[in-house]
Amino acid sequence: MKKIILGACAVLFTLASCQQAKQKVFELAAEQVNKQCPITVDEMTRMDSTTYSGKDNTFTYFYTLSGQADEQLKKSLEETLPETIKNTEEMKVYRESDVTIKYIYLSGKTKEELIQVTVTPDMYK
């Protein structure tokens, strides 16, 4: 489903020439993903929602973790997420628009923020 949404965004993105139109594409992408949420990613991770801010060109994913999460997981995410963004076809539209991508992970028990990883364009280019 995510591939379909991002594919549609890619088509709209190529048709959009001004910054305002590009921002609208990402806003629509966030809305479409949110209609699918919550999305189970794996046995420990659920995607709850997404947002896009045109003000700072940031697309944010909100996840809830169940089980144990610690600094080792954060370090692993900080290392793998930029490479994933750099090498995943579905993320091409983000790369082309120099979007900052933020990942926020919350505790399933306490609902408190456990991990926040921000990937800026200079990290994935």
Side-chain angles (χ1 to χ4, degrees):
M1 181 57 65
K2 189 175 177 183
K3 288 181 181 181
I4 293 170
I5 293 167
L6 290 174
C9 288
V11 170
L12 289 173
F13 178 74
T14 58
L15 298 175
S17 59
C18 69
Q19 185 62 26
Q20 210 170 33
K22 291 176 187 176
Q23 289 178 0
K24 189 65 176 170
V25 168
F26 290 111
E27 290 169 3
L28 290 171
E31 288 176 22
Q32 292 302 312
V33 172
N34 288 337
K35 288 179 184 178
Q36 306 298 317
C37 288
I39 301 169
T40 301
V41 177
D42 57 36
E43 69 268 358
M44 289 180 36
T45 313
R46 180 186 73 225
M47 183 193 305
D48 297 316
S49 64
T50 62
T51 62
Y52 175 73
S53 169
K55 188 181 297 184
D56 59 359
N57 197 31
T58 299
F59 200 96
T60 303
Y61 293 92
F62 293 90
Y63 293 93
T64 296
L65 295 174
S66 57
Q68 296 294 324
D70 57 17
E71 282 300 309
Q72 188 169 11
L73 177 59
K74 181 178 181 181
K75 182 161 179 55
S76 173
L77 289 170
E78 288 173 337
E79 292 172 0
T80 60
L81 287 172
E83 284 301 310
T84 300
I85 295 166
K86 183 178 184 175
N87 297 312
T88 304
E89 184 63 28
E90 291 85 13
M91 302 303 276
K92 182 179 180 183
V93 67
Y94 297 96
R95 291 190 306 266
E96 291 175 343
S97 293
D98 292 327
V99 174
T100 296
I101 305 167
K102 189 181 295 185
Y103 298 87
I104 299 176
Y105 294 84
L106 306 175
S107 165
K109 274 186 184 173
T110 66
K111 306 299 183 212
E112 292 180 14
E113 184 177 307
L114 296 173
I115 299 168
Q116 184 175 136
V117 178
T118 301
V119 183
T120 59
D122 62 309
M123 296 169 72
Y124 59 74
K125 292 233 176 190

